Every structure is written in C-alpha cells, then in structure tokens.
Amino acid sequence: MGQHSDKISIKGIVEEVVYYNSENCYAVCYIETQSEYTAVVGYLPYISEGDKVIVTGNWTTHAEYGRQFKADYYEKDMPKEKDDILRYLASGIIKGVRRATAEKIVNHFGDKSLDIIAGEPLRLAEIKGISERKALEIGESYAKQIGVRDIVIFLQKYGISPNLAAKVYKHYGTSAIDVIKSNPYLLSQEVYGIGFKTADKIALSMGMSKNAPERIQAATSFALWEGVIGGHTFLPRGVLIQNTVRLVGADGTECDSAITQMLFAGRLFNEIKDTYEAIYLPSLYNAEIYAASKLHKIASVSFTQFDVDIDEIISNVEAQQGITLAREQREAVYLALKNGVLVITGGPGTGKTTIINAIIKVMESLGKNIMLAAPTGRAANRMTELCGMEAMTIHRLLEVGFSEDGDGMSFYKDESNPLECDVLIIDEMSMVDVSLLSALLKAVKVGTRLVLVGDGDQLASVGAGDVLRDIISSGAISVIRLTEIFRQAKESMIVVNAHKINKGEYPVLNQRESDFFIVHRNSGEEIANTIVDLCKNRLPKTYGYDPLFDIQVLTPTRKGITGVTSLNERLQQAFNPPSANKKEKKFKNIVFREGDKVMQIKNNYETEWERSSDGETGVGVFNGEIGFIEKIDFQDESMSIIFDDRKMVYGFSELDELDLAYAITVHKSQGSEYDAVVMPMYPTAPMLLNRNLLYTAVTRAKKLVVMVGRENVIKTMTDNINEHRRYSGLSEKLRSFL
C-alpha cells in the first residue's frame, strides 16, 4: 500500500464488478489485494474483471455495507498472464467478444493476445468463426476502448467527466494525453465544453507555476475568446488586461508584458485607435482587414453602360408581377443595377421581398445569372418560398468542408474557385458575422453585383462583429433605407407595433380584431402557467395552430421562472410527459425524451446527416436549427434527431450541443419566423430588457404576438436603448477607403 498526500493507494486484481453505470462510470467492485478482499466504490471508467489496478482514495464506512474503499481515481496495469487476459476479454469490455470468442483468442495466441488485437488485429481471422471484417472491428473497438479509457482515467484525476473525456479523445485521438501534457490550455480553446478554469486546474496540477508566462498568455488568449463569444472582434488593451487579471490573479504589469510578447510573436494583432489600443486574435483581425478591402473592391465597380431602357424593363416586370413599385422600391432596383454593392435595409412590411423579386426579374430579363443565400437553413427556406427560386445557406453556397490539416472548417469556394454568378443576393444580413462575411467575399468575383438585404435594427449576429450596422454606418457602401410601410402591412398591428417600438413609442395592445395582445398576469408563476395554457389549449383551439410547429415561446433570458430552462420543463411536461413507451436520457440537468422538440446550440460542421426524401447525405448542423428526437438507443449510446427531413445521430457525449426548444431565447430565434410568438413580460436582468431585443422578438411573428405578464415591462424595454455595445472595427476600416 502506498501513501499519496492524505490519500491511500491499494493494489490488486478486480475479481468482480457488481455494478457499473456506463454513463458516468460509477462502479462497485471487489478487488483482491495481497492482504484482503475489498469492496471498492467510485468513478472507475472502463474497469473490468481481471484488471490489475492501483486505486487511490480513502477508507470509509457505509451504514449498510460496512467498510469499503472510496476511490478518487485509479490506474490500470494491463493483464499479462493468460488467465487474467481471458477474464479481461470475457468481461464483454470489447464489442463483439464474449466468453466463447475470448477462449478461442487466448487458446490461439496465449499471453500475446492483447498485443495481437492491438497491433495485428487481422491475424484474429486465423481463428475459425472470426471473419476479417469482425477481426478489424474487434481491433478497432479495443483501440478505442484503450484510448478512451486511458484518457478518461488520465483526466479523471482533474475532475473531468467521462463524457467530456470522450470528447477530448474524439478531438485528439490517441495523441490526446501527449497533447494535454505538452499544453493543457489547448483544451479550453479547442474542445467544446472545457473552459479555461478546467484547463488551468490541470496545468497547475501538472506543476505549472502560477505566474508562468505560458499561463498568463493562455489566459490572455482565453479572455479574448470570451470577448469573441460576447460578439467583440477585439478588446481594448486595458479591458483585456483587467479580464486576464480576473482569470489568473496575476498583476496587471505581468498581463501587459504577456500581451507585448504575444504581439511580438504574431499571436495577437493590434491597432491604435483614438483613445485606446485594440487587441485582436489573428483570425478576426485578418477577417476584418480582408472583408473591408474586398467589399471596397467589389463596390468600386459601377455599371453605367446600359444599351437598354431600364424604365421600360422595370415597367414590364411590374406588369408581369401585377405590382406597382413605390418610388423608393424602384430606386432600389436601379441602384442594384448600377452599383457593385447595394445594402437594402428596412423593418417589417417595408417591401424588402418585393424589391428582391423585382431585382431577380429585371436581372433575368438582362440574361444575368443569379444566386440567393441566407445565413441559416430556415432563412434560406423562407427566401426560396418567397422568391420562387432556390436559396441556399451561405455555408452550402460556399461548399463547406474540412481542411486536410484537421484544423476545422474550410470552404471549397474561395478566390481560386469563385462563385459563378453575375448577381448574388444575401438576405438576413444582420445574422452574418465578420468571419462568415470574409469567407463569403473570398468567393465573390469583382464584377459581380452584390445585394445585401437585412434589418439593421435587429439583434446583432451570434458570432463576432456587427457587420450589417458597420457596413451601413461606414458611409462607404450604397445603402437604401426603406421607411414606407405598405397598405397591406399597415393592417397588421405586428408591423405597426414593431415600427413604433423601433421609434421608442409604446405598442398598441388588445385592439379588436388585432394580431397583437397582452394577457395581464402579475407573478412569474401565473405567467408561466398561462403560457403553457395558451400554447397547449387556447391558441390551437382559437386559431387552429399546431402547438409544436406554429407556436414558439420566446424569452429574453435563460434563468428564472420565465426563463428558457424553467419554461422548457413545464412545456415538456405539457406536450411530451414521461411515458412507459418513450425512452428518455438525462444529460446534466436536462431530460431528453423521444418526441421532444430540440435545438442545436452550436455550429457543428462534422455531424453527418441523411435526407429521408431522397437519401442524399451531407455534413453540418447549425446553431439555432430545430428538430425532434426520433429515437434514443442505449445500446449504441446515441440519439437520432430529425431536422426538417435530415436525420442526424448524436453520441451521448455530444448532447451538450442540444437544448430543449419548446421555449428559446430571442437571440436564438434570429432568422426564423413563426405563425405565433408567445413571450413572457417579467422583470429580469436590465441589460436583457432592451428595445432591440423586444423589436427582434416581435418581428419573428407572422400572424400573432401574445405577450403574457406586466405591461410596464414592455414600456421598460421600449425605453431602454442601452444595447450591449460591440467592439468591432469593420466600419472604420471601410471608411479608410473613402
């Protein structure tokens, strides 16, 4: 027995595994040491009978089961004797190997069995009854088992859950432990779900000193990444120093010199502004520089030579479509013909779709080749329906794939392989971040007409930057602002109120024959109960809405009784309660059940999908996509989800990419439209109760808005123009070309 600070280590062979939970790796087993037969309990990933182990922990006494050893972590010594190997293989640890197969393997290869499985798995086919395919499957299962097991055991000492450890293994493969030993901070930058604090804990446990330059530099990078997650493309140097000090407790001068070293090494970039120094991560600095210069180049082309009568063409289009364009709409079509880049911006009901359709028809009559795209699948589908020609997601347009160096996403379309079109129209530009803008512009040839359409008053993109507003405010690009609301739109209180809110006026509520209501409730409990009743009973009964497809609950916040988490629990209970014939899987604090409505909450460019209608396959599911859980499979530890008609399979370790979607935040609803929007009006963090957020929520609804709660919260939101300000430099870089 060994001593390890106040911990004790015991060494022995696992005789019996009494209980094992494959989800969190909690086990109860009996170990034969030299001196006794001991019950051992704790998180013991992939432990199996026949294992030789060193277990570290402490003795405890259980009220019912008596004296037992409580393990904190353990190390495994692979079995070397024939009998131990047989017991290990027969334990079912390797997929496809049961007792009979284990006996055949050990009889044939003796104490070399595990080496053969690991190094020459095809040789297993020498045994009668094992095909080459099965031999390879056994080898693969064993390699994964060993790799995942080793990384789980290694990370367990630092309190990292088996689920996260499996993600680390998936990301780095067999070199995971070497990568972590060389630089644990990579985990916080490269593995979704592991933050700086966890990586820092590992680094400090491995002997990193508290004020080591590597530690402070890693914290500096992470503080910038946190800024990016908050939507900033850079942070002022003073803010970055403050945030780094908060992370690692070093003093400001150490953090300042870390920034200087990183600038010198090209790991950060800087720009001197009027009152401060902006510090960038290289990728975002390059994205901003490229986007500004390419946008300027495309915009510098003007198309003045026309051998055709534009007025006549527009009049013909009006006649064909049975429409009459208003003065500013007609002007927008002119400008799209004349300019290399045109931004069309305006709120709901101002005729943006009419203009897009008119531009398409005019360009077609001039023999131009047109492409349409939008940032999300839902926005692209809506564009397709409204324009009568196919619109793609920007990712699909650019043919997203993977870079060969395994460095994440790359696009097949770029400068060397540009988009072949004369006119490119992008809708919902408020959702495009600076990295996506840069990738898009790389694929656009100078000489292409680029039309960017969006509502500059919507919430900014989820990713970094404030692209649409920066382009508009730069003054370097032609912009047409649509202000006139059209007659049919004026009949909708949703449209009227959206414009009122945008101008800082209070919305008109509860008019007869209206589509915009408030149901007055005071307490959070009453509000939550009313929302459930509206979604389940009142709205489907009155309007015939499908509660899961046509109605969406939007809320400003995740927390509290009217936040996403709590409302999802109530709505799940109402629409998809527990049932004997529905499997369910608890992950962290969420119960996922077959039939649940769920949302993807991060971009994943690797997940494969298959389309049920035509069998087409592809990759990628994006932040904000909504689907339904079709099946939970405990044997494969997986969950299949249908997004529209694409089916994807998630391993249990990937469930942190999903959330229930009966209720979602307003931010996550961007680019989507719903027949009916139901929204709680209840006090929460003041920064979330702003005009911009209320405007975005209201403009998601096509036919009905129902607010539930306190009228004074609507007024507070309308009055509050203090939206979260983003640090971004695109506008300034565009102005520099003027």
Side-chain angles (χ1 to χ4, degrees):
M1 293 198 191
Q3 200 75 21
H4 175 77
S5 62
D6 56 342
K7 306 273 184 213
I8 300 161
S9 297
I10 62 171
K11 193 175 182 176
I13 292 178
V14 180
E15 286 296 329
E16 191 186 354
V17 178
V18 181
Y19 171 79
Y20 186 75
N21 178 337
S22 64
E23 191 178 312
N24 60 12
C25 302
Y26 186 83
V28 178
C29 63
Y30 284 95
I31 291 178
E32 179 92 66
T33 70
Q34 279 182 328
S35 55
E36 61 185 322
Y37 191 68
T38 301
V40 176
V41 299
Y43 297 97
L44 302 165
Y46 303 104
I47 200 155
S48 53
E49 289 162 17
D51 282 344
K52 286 188 175 172
V53 293
I54 301 167
V55 186
T56 303
N58 290 104
W59 291 103
T60 59
T61 304
H62 188 279
E64 195 177 334
Y65 302 116
R67 185 169 180 263
Q68 48 184 218
F69 192 81
K70 189 170 183 302
D72 288 330
Y73 55 88
Y74 84 110
E75 289 160 59
K76 214 173 215 189
D77 187 9
M78 288 309 286
K80 293 183 181 59
E81 307 297 323
K82 270 175 71 169
D83 289 354
D84 296 338
I85 292 171
L86 175 61
R87 196 184 319 168
Y88 172 77
L89 289 177
S91 69
I93 190 100
I94 298 173
K95 208 172 173 179
V97 178
R98 293 283 175 268
R99 178 91 204 176
T101 312
E103 281 174 356
K104 285 180 188 173
I105 293 171
V106 174
N107 287 340
H108 193 81
F109 294 112
D111 57 12
K112 296 277 182 292
S113 296
L114 295 181
D115 298 337
I116 297 290
I117 295 172
E120 305 173 80
L122 266 176
R123 285 195 59 197
L124 295 173
E126 293 170 16
I127 298 167
K128 195 167 186 266
I130 299 183
S131 65
E132 287 194 355
R133 186 163 158 235
K134 187 173 181 187
L136 286 173
E137 276 173 11
I138 291 171
E140 205 175 292
S141 169
Y142 181 66
K144 187 178 175 195
Q145 189 65 253
I146 297 301
V148 176
R149 188 203 65 209
D150 289 350
I151 187 77
V152 170
I153 291 171
F154 175 76
L155 288 174
Q156 193 192 20
K157 299 176 191 179
Y158 308 111
I160 290 184
S161 73
N163 273 328
L164 265 183
K167 282 199 145 184
V168 173
Y169 177 78
K170 191 177 173 195
H171 191 82
Y172 296 113
T174 48
S175 59
I177 292 173
D178 296 335
V179 170
I180 294 164
K181 283 181 173 168
S182 68
N183 182 2
Y185 293 108
L186 284 174
L187 290 174
S188 62
Q189 291 163 25
E190 296 180 356
V191 182
Y192 182 69
I194 294 185
F196 176 80
K197 289 200 165 79
T198 306
D200 194 40
K201 183 178 161 190
I202 295 172
L204 293 172
S205 310
M206 284 164 59
M208 173 86 65
S209 94
K210 282 203 158 179
N211 50 3
E214 301 95 312
R215 178 172 187 250
I216 296 168
Q217 289 181 19
T220 304
S221 287
F222 186 75
L224 269 178
W225 269 118
E226 276 191 316
V228 171
I229 291 162
H232 306 295
T233 60
F234 67 82
L235 289 178
R237 189 168 184 145
V239 173
L240 178 57
I241 289 170
Q242 260 177 329
N243 293 358
T244 307
V245 167
R246 183 175 47 81
L247 275 171
V248 289
D251 69 39
T253 52
E254 287 177 307
C255 297
D256 192 48
S257 69
I259 293 171
T260 304
Q261 285 165 348
M262 292 169 83
L263 285 167
F264 192 67
R267 289 171 55 203
L268 299 177
F269 284 79
N270 67 339
E271 245 173 32
I272 307 300
K273 309 275 184 194
D274 290 344
T275 54
Y276 59 82
E277 181 185 359
I279 307 291
Y280 282 88
L281 288 165
S283 59
L284 289 169
Y285 179 76
N286 293 330
E288 260 190 14
I289 291 273
Y290 183 87
S293 113
K294 185 69 180 278
L295 207 51
H296 168 70
K297 278 182 192 151
I298 301 168
S300 300
V301 179
S302 67
F303 302 85
T304 47
Q305 289 304 306
F306 285 115
D307 309 328
V308 284
D309 182 342
I310 295 306
D311 278 316
E312 193 187 329
I313 288 178
I314 294 177
S315 300
N316 288 343
V317 166
E318 287 178 317
Q320 275 169 19
Q321 301 283 299
I323 55 167
T324 308
L325 294 175
R327 188 189 53 77
E328 60 182 18
Q329 290 181 315
R330 207 174 175 101
E331 191 193 345
V333 179
Y334 263 123
L335 290 173
L337 281 162
K338 236 172 69 177
N339 288 300
V341 182
L342 174 67
V343 174
I344 299 171
T345 184
T350 54
K352 295 191 293 292
T353 305
T354 305
I355 295 172
I356 294 174
N357 280 327
I359 292 170
I360 291 170
K361 293 291 177 239
V362 168
M363 293 295 185
E364 279 178 344
S365 70
L366 292 170
K368 303 295 180 196
N369 178 6
I370 306 149
M371 284 183 167
L372 310 181
T376 64
R378 291 194 134 196
N381 291 344
R382 208 174 75 233
M383 203 179 181
T384 301
E385 283 162 27
L386 296 172
C387 299
M389 66 179 281
E390 192 195 7
M392 289 186 242
T393 62
I394 297 173
H395 287 87
R396 193 171 149 220
L397 180 80
L398 300 178
E399 296 179 29
V400 65
F402 296 99
S403 47
E404 285 167 17
D405 56 8
D407 203 21
M409 180 183 63
S410 67
F411 293 108
Y412 179 64
K413 293 289 183 190
D414 57 16
E415 291 108 330
S416 60
N417 183 26
L419 294 166
E420 295 299 335
C421 62
D422 304 310
V423 184
L424 176 61
I425 304 175
I426 307 287
D427 197 8
E428 293 287 0
M429 270 303 293
S430 62
M431 298 178 72
V432 174
D433 61 40
V434 74
S435 302
L436 188 56
L437 176 70
S438 168
L440 175 69
L441 293 173
K442 278 182 181 152
V444 178
K445 288 192 286 199
V446 175
T448 303
R449 288 180 175 87
L450 182 59
V451 181
L452 306 175
V453 185
D455 183 346
D457 296 309
Q458 296 271 3
L459 287 169
S461 56
V462 174
D466 204 350
V467 164
L468 182 59
R469 274 183 277 202
D470 276 357
I471 294 173
I472 293 170
S473 67
S474 73
I477 302 293
S478 278
V479 175
I480 185 131
R481 289 172 197 275
L482 306 173
T483 50
E484 186 186 337
I485 306 175
F486 288 94
R487 189 176 51 78
Q488 69 275 25
K490 279 187 181 143
E491 292 163 13
S492 159
M493 286 316 294
I494 296 174
V495 172
V496 172
N497 282 337
H499 287 273
K500 278 180 168 293
I501 290 163
N502 207 14
K503 288 190 272 193
E505 299 167 16
Y506 299 141
V508 177
L509 305 165
N510 295 4
Q511 270 193 348
R512 277 179 72 91
E513 305 295 312
S514 177
D515 53 10
F516 201 109
F517 298 99
I518 183 165
V519 179
H520 293 279
R521 296 287 183 270
N522 208 27
S523 74
E525 184 70 29
E526 288 174 312
I527 292 171
N529 288 337
T530 303
I531 286 174
V532 172
D533 182 42
L534 280 164
C535 294
K536 189 171 184 196
N537 305 312
R538 288 163 65 179
L539 298 181
K541 201 165 150 191
T542 310
Y543 299 94
Y545 291 145
D546 180 306
L548 293 179
F549 289 94
D550 301 333
I551 303 170
Q552 185 60 59
V553 177
L554 302 182
T555 170
T557 177
R558 292 199 60 79
K559 297 184 179 131
I561 194 162
T562 59
V564 165
T565 308
S566 170
L567 285 174
N568 266 325
E569 284 172 9
R570 288 172 186 254
L571 290 161
Q572 181 190 43
Q573 185 59 38
F575 288 114
N576 193 27
S579 141
N581 56 10
K582 285 188 177 180
K583 295 198 192 87
E584 57 182 56
K585 162 85 179 122
K586 189 165 194 248
F587 184 85
K588 295 186 176 163
N589 298 320
I590 302 174
V591 174
F592 291 108
R593 191 172 292 128
E594 288 174 342
D596 271 336
K597 182 179 181 181
V598 292
M599 174 181 266
Q600 174 77 14
I601 56 171
K602 73 172 279 250
N603 286 340
N604 182 330
Y605 306 108
E606 297 174 42
T607 299
E608 295 176 0
W609 51 259
E610 183 178 348
R611 209 192 310 279
S612 54
S613 55
D614 56 10
E616 188 195 336
T617 58
V619 292
V621 56
F622 302 105
N623 192 344
E625 289 200 53
I626 286 180
F628 289 87
I629 299 176
E630 182 193 44
K631 184 179 169 205
I632 296 174
D633 186 330
F634 285 101
Q635 203 172 347
D636 282 354
E637 301 205 330
S638 69
M639 190 185 283
S640 18
I641 296 173
I642 308 289
F643 291 95
D644 296 323
D645 66 343
R646 292 167 307 146
K647 178 177 173 172
M648 306 200 181
V649 179
Y650 289 68
F652 283 171
S653 66
E654 297 167 310
L655 298 185
D656 55 354
E657 293 182 13
L658 293 169
D659 202 350
L660 293 174
Y662 300 99
I664 63 176
T665 62
V666 178
H667 277 89
K668 291 285 187 201
S669 72
Q670 279 174 275
S672 297
E673 273 192 342
Y674 315 97
D675 282 352
V677 163
V678 178
M679 190 176 179
M681 285 291 132
Y682 190 64
T684 182
M687 62 180 283
L688 292 171
L689 295 181
N690 65 56
R691 182 185 300 175
N692 199 232
L693 191 129
L694 180 62
Y695 173 77
T696 301
V698 167
T699 55
R700 298 306 88 214
K702 286 194 280 191
K703 298 177 183 171
L704 182 69
V705 170
V706 185
M707 311 262 179
V708 184
R710 304 181 189 177
E711 199 167 326
N712 67 333
V713 174
I714 301 176
K715 291 179 173 174
T716 303
M717 291 180 86
T718 308
D719 292 339
N720 178 12
I721 54 169
N722 297 330
E723 193 201 338
H724 165 66
R725 185 189 158 225
R726 293 188 168 197
Y727 293 112
S728 71
L730 182 64
S731 182
E732 203 179 327
K733 289 182 177 68
L734 280 167
R735 270 199 298 277
S736 71
F737 288 108
L738 285 174

